[in-house]
């Protein structure tokens, strides 16, 4: 059978009409049925496109000129949006962003989960979808004897020198700038990943939205930080409300930002924040959602879907530092949290104590193994909550959940594809997905968080 050649060639310029978007927010246009994926193209637009890569079944293009513009296209407020790899969809109106994210979840339910009839509600957005990030971690690079900070360019480790990021809390922006200047004045050398030399790798800043407490973390290759006292003194002089100055040591050749060892340079090891009525102590390495406003919305939905009357036993798999567990403990009889990271479980226990919550217990271990053990001890939860990483739940965990036969499962997901896949497995195990609520946790990016309500299918 003759090979069918793609209808375009590399470096060819074509006119294209965009008919759809990829889940990453690129425009999709077709030439004789052959799809071309083009960043920054919007459905309904016609554009001049340069073909940059040709594969057997699809290709990639570069947007040269928009010939007919969508009314949803806006001018991105960020000067480096088209170079930076942090945001993908600043060129869309916010209404369009919310619609696109709802459709992304709907498509995953239908195409991956084969769940045609599951209602996917409109995405819950933000009143102000800017300056929402409470944490920033910025790489440091040396350029002509100076320290520069900024995000990486798309698909590279080249830093775009920048002073401000419109999705990051402005105070954090200014802190990074101040710490970079202080480190430069002290003669601290930047890390060079090519020859694995130099000292300062990243500057990380976290803040508590409700408390205004600030933590600064200097991520270094070396255990010793030269002029440590002088640097601490200068940071406190510039920003007296800093509560914690930490050093994280990462001596490895790696893209992972934080190393295993963290040292207190000044102040306390934790800052605090509150979501609703629950307070949290947050360490340098704690996983804590970066958008506190939307986190409250997300957890309120999880609590609503759990439908607790005060008599239920709840299991929280992937409990982290206890954020969802403690929310649920306000309305449940008992909550059992499990997490594989020991430091996170220590933090969860501290957070329970901080909030005087006595009906939540936390355990270290792989969720599926601990849940098997709990089942053997006779634990029968009414509700199971899962909030897994992007890869979704392991099959063994899904099996452990099915074995426990809860009345309801609340699935919090940061990846619609793995959510849909896992909901399909739960459907085969006798559970029905009642509804899915997307929440825009990361405005201006293509990422979307969702909460799914799953109940035992009583019709079988």
């Amino acid at each position: 059978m003759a090979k069918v050649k793609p209808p375009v060639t590399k470096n060819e310029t074509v006119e294209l009409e965009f008919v759809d978007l990829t889940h990453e927010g690129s425009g999709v246009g077709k030439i004789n049925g052959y799809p071309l994926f083009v960043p920054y193209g919007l459905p309904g637009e016609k554009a001049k496109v340069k073909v940059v890569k040709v594969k057997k079944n699809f290709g990639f293009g570069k947007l040269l000129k928009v010939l007919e513009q969508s009314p949803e296209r806006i001018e991105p407020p960020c000067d480096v949006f088209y170079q930076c790899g942090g945001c993908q969809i600043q060129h869309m109106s916010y209404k369009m962003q919310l619609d696109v994210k709802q459709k992304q979840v709907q498509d995953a339910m239908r195409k991956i989960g084969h769940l045609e009839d599951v209602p996917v509600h409109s995405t819950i957005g933000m009143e102000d979808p800017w300056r929402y990030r409470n944490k920033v971690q910025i790489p440091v690079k040396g350029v002509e004897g100076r320290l520069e900070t900024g995000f990486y360019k798309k698909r590279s480790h080249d830093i775009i020198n920048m002073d401000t990021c419109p999705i990051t809390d402005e105070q954090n922006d200014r802190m990074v700038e101040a710490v970079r200047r202080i480190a430069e004045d002290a003669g601290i050398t930047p890390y060079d990943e090519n020859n694995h030399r130099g000292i300062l790798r990243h500057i990380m800043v976290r803040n508590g939205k409700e408390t205004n407490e600030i933590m600064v973390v200097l991520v270094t290759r070396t255990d010793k930080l030269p002029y440590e006292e002088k640097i601490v003194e200068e940071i406190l002089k510039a920003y007296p409300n800093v509560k914690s100055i930490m050093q994280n040591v990462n001596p490895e050749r790696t893209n992972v930002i934080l190393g295993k060892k963290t040292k207190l340079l000044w102040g306390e090891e934790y800052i605090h924040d509150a979501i609703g009525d629950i307070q949290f102590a947050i360490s340098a390495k704690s996983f804590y959602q970066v958008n506190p406003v939307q986190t409250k919305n997300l957890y309120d939905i999880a609590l609503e879907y759990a439908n607790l009357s005060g008599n239920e036993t709840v299991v929280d798999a992937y409990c982290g530092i206890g954020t969802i567990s403690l929310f649920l403990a306000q309305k449940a009889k008992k909550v059992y949290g499990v997490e594989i990271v020991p430091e996170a479980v220590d933090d969860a226990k501290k957070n329970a104590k901080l909030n005087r919550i006595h009906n939540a217990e936390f355990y270290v271990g792989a969720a599926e193994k601990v849940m098997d053990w709990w089942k053997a001890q006779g634990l029968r939860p009414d509700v199971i909550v899962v909030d897994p990483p992007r890869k979704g739940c392991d099959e063994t965990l899904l099996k452990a959940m099915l074995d426990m036969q809860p009345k309801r499962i609340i699935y919090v997901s940061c990846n619609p594809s793995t959510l849909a896949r896992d909901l399909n497995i739960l459907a085969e195990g006798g559970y029905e997905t009642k509804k899915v609520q997307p929440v825009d946790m990361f405005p201006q990016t293509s990422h979307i968080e969702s909460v799914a309500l799953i109940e035992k299918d009583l019709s079988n």
Side-chain angles (χ1 to χ4, degrees), residues 203-217:
I203 298 167
M204 181 167 110
V205 182
R206 310 188 81 144
N207 73 36
K209 179 88 173 169
E210 296 296 319
T211 61
N212 205 30
E213 294 178 2
I214 299 173
M215 173 184 283
V216 175
V217 184

Side-chain angles (χ1 to χ4, degrees), residues 180-325:
R180 176 189 55 72
R181 175 182 51 75
I182 290 162
E184 185 175 273
D185 290 348
I188 302 299
T189 55
Y191 175 65
D192 183 336
E193 63 182 11
N194 294 323
N195 60 28
H196 196 52
R197 296 178 74 82
I199 296 171
L200 188 59
R201 298 177 73 129
H202 279 77
I203 298 167
M204 181 167 110
V205 182
R206 310 188 81 144
N207 73 36
K209 179 88 173 169
E210 296 296 319
T211 61
N212 205 30
E213 294 178 2
I214 299 173
M215 173 184 283
V216 175
V217 184
L218 301 164
V219 184
T220 60
R221 179 186 66 86
T222 54
D223 196 64
K224 183 169 168 50
L225 175 64
Y227 311 108
E228 176 190 305
E229 286 179 18
K230 177 74 175 161
I231 289 169
V232 167
E233 186 185 315
E234 290 295 323
I235 290 173
L236 294 173
K237 201 188 290 181
Y239 283 91
N241 61 329
V242 168
K243 186 164 185 189
S244 170
I245 303 176
M246 310 291 293
Q247 179 191 357
N248 176 269
V249 182
N250 186 353
E252 308 295 326
R253 279 184 179 268
T254 176
N255 289 336
V256 175
I257 293 172
L258 296 178
K260 291 174 183 169
K261 184 177 179 183
T262 307
K263 299 195 287 187
L264 177 67
L265 300 183
W266 182 89
E268 297 180 24
E269 289 187 12
Y270 294 85
I271 59 169
H272 295 85
D273 199 12
I275 300 172
D277 297 329
I278 306 291
Q279 291 188 11
F280 296 99
I282 305 154
S283 67
K285 295 175 84 173
S286 289
F287 173 77
Y288 184 71
Q289 294 278 13
V290 298
N291 185 337
V293 173
Q294 290 294 72
T295 299
K296 170 78 166 60
N297 286 328
L298 189 82
Y299 291 176
D300 280 345
I301 293 157
L303 193 56
E304 179 197 324
Y305 284 7
N307 193 22
L308 302 173
S309 64
N311 299 313
E312 293 85 1
T313 299
V314 180
V315 163
D316 179 10
Y318 305 105
C319 69
I321 66 168
T323 42
I324 294 181
S325 300

Side-chain angles (χ1 to χ4, degrees), residues 11-25:
N11 295 328
E12 183 183 352
T13 299
V14 296
E15 271 194 25
L16 200 62
E17 182 174 353
F18 297 114
V19 293
D20 203 353
L21 289 168
T22 68
H23 67 275
E24 290 172 343

Side-chain angles (χ1 to χ4, degrees), residues 93-158:
S93 71
Y94 192 51
K95 180 190 178 303
M96 185 180 191
Q97 290 186 30
L98 298 179
D99 290 346
V100 161
K101 291 182 181 190
Q102 180 189 21
K103 184 177 181 295
Q104 191 183 328
V105 179
Q106 286 170 331
D107 288 350
M109 290 300 120
R110 198 177 71 253
K111 294 174 185 173
I112 297 167
H114 310 294
L115 301 166
E116 303 284 339
D117 302 322
V118 171
V120 177
H121 297 318
S122 298
T123 308
I124 294 174
M126 298 187 73
E127 208 172 302
D128 178 9
W130 302 98
R131 294 289 182 194
Y132 59 84
R133 285 189 66 96
N134 57 17
K135 171 186 166 186
V136 63
Q137 37 199 20
I138 302 279
V140 180
K141 202 163 191 172
V143 178
E144 295 174 0
R146 297 183 62 81
L147 296 190
E148 286 196 350
T149 52
F151 292 108
Y152 290 126
K153 286 183 185 174
K154 287 185 182 71
R155 294 176 289 279
S156 85
H157 267 218
D158 298 333

